[in-house]
Amino acid sequence: DIQLTQSPSSLSASVGDTVTITCRASRTISDYLNWYQHTPGKAPKLLIYAASNLQRGVPSRFSGSRSGTDFTLTISTLQPEDFATYYCQQSYSSPRTFGQGIMVQI
Amino acid sequence: QVQLQESGPGLVKPSQTLSLTCTVSGGSITSGGYYWTWIRQHPGKGLEWIGYIHYSGSAYYSSSLKSRVAMSVDTSENQFSLKLESVTAADTAVYYCARDYYDSSGYYRIDNWGQGTLVTVSS
């Protein structure tokens, strides 16, 4: 199975900050990497697919990039509603796998 | 607008079988380009992919759960289901059904989720 490791282990930020979350794959997955936002009590929400494609309806302050097996989610100008847990997920092969998640806290 | 809704018992006894159903509304489960997926989240933990099934019946399961998991599709009811055998307290989790969409470029993503249902395993 492909392992995904997210960093940092925790993240504290303020409204207006720019935050960056990294996801490293245990082997090459090309750009088959998605990012999700999960707020307690709600269904997870797709933000970015295929490493850098913004899902329809998602604000443009969210962006994704790839360098080899390292993937980055950047949130520019953090808004109050962005405080949530963020997961990466690989869709290169089955079984699909998620990263462990990173909570962005105030 | 396609919506997914989980249903099933919220309490299951240890050693019994957990059974959940996901009803798809606003679209057909036989529409091309989708794998119908189950994901769970243990209390205070991250997301765990359980498996997916295509409307044709082909399925793929998590390595750690495949000996206990079975998924099925009922196209007449526009539903898909999850069965997890021999449950223990470690199977207590919020279970989500979801839609994994694959496009013409071959990229997959989970673009639609149910609200999730808490299943507690306890005697």
Side-chain angles (χ1 to χ4, degrees):
Chain A
D1 298 2
I2 295 173
Q3 308 299 319
L4 297 177
T5 303
Q6 292 184 239
S7 60
S9 56
S10 63
L11 202 164
S12 295
S14 301
V15 172
D17 285 353
T18 293
V19 301
T20 300
I21 298 169
T22 298
C23 177
R24 173 168 290 174
S26 60
R27 60 180 177 92
T28 184
I29 57 171
S30 185
D31 50 359
Y32 290 82
L33 192 285
N34 307 316
W35 290 97
Y36 302 87
Q37 177 193 63
H38 194 197
T39 304
K42 293 187 176 181
K45 175 185 175 182
L46 174 66
L47 300 174
I48 301 285
Y49 66 93
S52 60
N53 293 271
L54 192 68
Q55 172 70 356
R56 187 168 54 243
V58 174
S60 59
R61 64 180 180 273
F62 292 92
S63 62
S65 64
R66 171 202 171 198
S67 176
T69 58
D70 289 341
F71 298 83
T72 299
L73 173 70
T74 299
I75 313 171
S76 304
T77 317
L78 204 64
Q79 297 298 300
E81 61 268 29
D82 300 336
F83 292 95
T85 300
Y86 293 86
Y87 295 90
C88 56
Q89 179 235 355
Q90 63 83 17
S91 58
Y92 180 80
S93 66
S94 297
R96 305 284 195 247
T97 44
F98 288 93
Q100 78 273 25
I102 299 294
M103 183 184 294
V104 176
Q105 305 177 84
I106 298 173
Chain B
Q1 177 78 351
V2 174
Q3 293 186 312
L4 288 75
Q5 179 66 58
E6 306 88 352
S7 59
L11 181 63
V12 181
K13 289 182 167 47
S15 79
Q16 293 191 341
T17 296
L18 179 159
S19 296
L20 294 174
T21 296
C22 183
T23 300
V24 180
S25 59
S28 174
I29 202 168
T30 61
S31 297
Y34 303 117
Y35 281 94
W36 303 98
T37 299
W38 289 97
I39 290 158
R40 70 181 182 179
Q41 183 180 33
H42 295 102
K45 302 295 185 183
L47 300 173
E48 179 185 13
W49 187 84
I50 300 172
Y52 60 49
I53 187 166
H54 189 259
Y55 77 85
S56 63
S58 65
Y60 204 106
Y61 305 136
S62 157
S63 302
S64 62
L65 294 172
K66 61 184 178 183
S67 64
R68 299 194 290 131
V69 169
M71 295 182 186
S72 59
V73 173
D74 185 338
T75 57
S76 65
E77 296 291 336
N78 224 36
Q79 296 174 332
F80 61 104
S81 297
L82 168 71
K83 290 189 186 301
L84 181 64
E85 299 178 341
S86 304
V87 298
T88 69
D91 294 308
T92 294
V94 174
Y95 287 76
Y96 295 96
C97 62
R99 184 180 76 175
D100 195 342
Y101 165 64
Y102 59 95
D103 61 26
S104 56
S105 300
Y107 290 103
Y108 294 73
R109 59 271 199 185
I110 301 172
D111 68 343
N112 202 326
W113 300 68
Q115 285 301 304
T117 187
L118 174 63
V119 178
T120 301
V121 179
S122 175
S123 56

